[in-house]
Amino acid sequence: AKAQGGNRYELADPDLDARAISRHSLTNRLPAALEGAEFFIEYQPLVRMADGCVEGAEALVRWDHPRHGVLGPDRFIPLAEHTGLIVPLGRWVLEQAVRQACEWQVRGIGGTRQLRVNVNLSPRQLHHPHLVADTVSVLQNAGLPPESLCLEVTESALIRADDDELKPLRQLAELGVGIALDDFGTGYSNLASLRRLPASTLKLDRSFTQGLQQHPADPVDLRVVEGIVSLAHALELSVTVEGVETASQADQLRTLGCDSAQGWYYARPGPPERFSAQMAMAAGQ
Ligand code: C2E
Ligand code: CA
Ligand code: CA
Ligand code: CA
């Protein structure tokens, strides 16, 4: 541990850190963290594979903890989901992200294209009675067209949902909001269940991208991705791939028919100013 002055300490070893910070203390601090504006959002570009154009960005929340430094969402989203704080936290993320997308559009950051923002939705938010009204009011307050928002819902959160539970998402989809099935391929959906979901996009889980790392890639892995892509296209869903880290993965996934991609090969998640700067550079400004 490294002294920071006073009796505050910052642990240097992230693994030690992970074990030392108790879930209990993090959970207890969540409400104060939301009050105290300790959360912030990074944006990661979503890239169209055909021509490399940026279509928008996914909003990814982080927690700048006063004692433990920046914590990733895997450390605190499950805790917020458990206590229900995910509802106000998720609404805050939605507001920030929608406002950010609006600012990009007003500034003409995407050129002639209207940049989109993707926001993750937890199961608890999905089942909240005010989801549709809240989302609509956030969009209206900011003046963002519904088409410029995409909500990402994990495949596993939807798979057990009955028609009543899907109704809010269907309403949002009818308003023009995009719905993406996140982490697709990890939740064992079947064809029948996919058909009834009001989704516009399927986000292929990072594990599939990782499978293409070997040279040459396992032909079975290639055929599985090819099969998922053709199934998605048959259902009129676009396919976004996650976790693209190398040019070789990008090339293979483009050849396999994936529509969009996201990953460190294109850009790591970063502050909104970095995203705007990258966009300006790409436009040759
Ligand atoms: P996700 O929705 O699957 O988001 C993609 C994750 O992959 C992000 O992790 C991102 O930083 C990471 N990633 C992007 N490109 C690459 C790559 O090329 N290689 C590798 N290895 N990783 C890459 P992150 O930011 O730690 O977020 C983790 C998860 O936390 C997200 O997974 C999402 O499920 C959840 N999350 C993030 N923000 C929110 C939020 O505002 N609300 C909710 N409910 N969940 C959120
Ligand atoms: Ca996501
Ligand atoms: Ca994902
Ligand atoms: Ca994931």
Side-chain angles (χ1 to χ4, degrees):
K2 164 174 96 198
Q4 269 198 333
N7 51 6
R8 292 176 61 187
Y9 290 90
E10 191 182 65
L11 295 164
D13 173 0
D15 286 336
L16 180 65
D17 200 35
R19 275 176 272 121
I21 307 172
S22 82
R23 291 167 55 91
H24 185 70
S25 74
L26 288 184
T27 304
N28 285 345
R29 212 194 136 74
L30 280 169
L34 187 57
E35 281 289 308
E38 291 172 8
F39 296 103
F40 65 99
I41 301 176
E42 290 193 320
Y43 294 87
Q44 186 176 34
L46 293 152
V47 178
R48 189 161 62 200
M49 295 207 99
D51 56 10
C53 277
V54 174
E55 300 176 311
E58 179 175 1
L60 296 160
V61 69
R62 280 89 180 82
W63 179 4
D64 190 2
H65 192 287
R67 284 181 57 218
H68 305 304
V70 175
L71 304 177
D74 290 335
R75 300 283 287 283
F76 61 85
I77 290 287
L79 308 178
E81 173 75 20
H82 188 70
T83 64
L85 196 88
I86 191 66
V87 172
L89 175 59
R91 194 191 150 102
W92 179 83
V93 172
L94 180 70
E95 271 167 1
Q96 299 297 308
V98 161
R99 206 177 294 165
Q100 187 60 66
C102 214
E103 189 204 304
W104 287 329
Q105 292 193 357
V106 168
R107 286 168 57 194
I109 290 289
T112 52
R113 284 162 294 119
Q114 297 281 74
L115 289 177
R116 180 182 86 222
V117 74
N118 283 28
V119 175
N120 292 285
L121 214 63
S122 283
R124 192 104 168 210
Q125 292 173 273
L126 196 64
H127 298 124
H128 194 274
H130 299 159
L131 173 69
V132 177
D134 277 357
T135 306
V136 168
S137 88
V138 167
L139 287 168
Q140 282 175 349
N141 289 342
L144 190 78
E147 292 75 17
S148 299
L149 173 68
C150 178
L151 296 174
E152 301 196 355
V153 188
T154 58
E155 180 200 11
S156 52
L158 288 185
I159 202 130
R160 295 167 307 250
D162 60 31
D163 278 334
D164 271 354
E165 290 169 309
L166 290 174
K167 207 172 148 201
L169 279 188
R170 193 161 283 127
Q171 287 174 326
L172 288 167
E174 277 161 13
L175 290 168
V177 174
I179 308 290
L181 291 179
D182 208 351
D183 298 344
F184 186 85
T186 58
Y188 307 103
S189 301
N190 57 42
L191 233 154
S193 78
L194 265 184
R195 267 197 89 157
R196 59 185 195 93
L197 299 178
S200 46
T201 302
L202 185 155
K203 283 190 92 171
L204 196 61
D205 190 67
R206 184 162 75 227
S207 51
F208 293 95
T209 313
Q210 278 166 343
L212 304 183
Q213 194 71 273
Q214 294 94 298
H215 298 281
D218 184 334
V220 174
D221 287 343
L222 289 172
R223 285 200 299 271
V224 167
V225 174
E226 201 173 20
I228 294 176
V229 171
S230 66
L231 166 65
H233 287 168
L235 295 166
E236 296 176 320
L237 297 166
S238 75
V239 178
T240 301
V241 282
E242 305 182 323
V244 178
E245 295 180 359
T246 66
S248 147
Q249 288 172 332
D251 287 344
Q252 294 183 76
L253 289 161
R254 189 187 312 104
T255 307
L256 290 169
C258 297
D259 302 288
S260 311
Q262 183 180 0
W264 298 344
Y265 171 63
Y266 303 99
R268 297 210 176 216
E273 310 79 51
R274 196 204 291 171
F275 179 79
S276 325
Q278 285 162 346
M279 294 298 297
M281 223 158 72
Q285 286 163 10

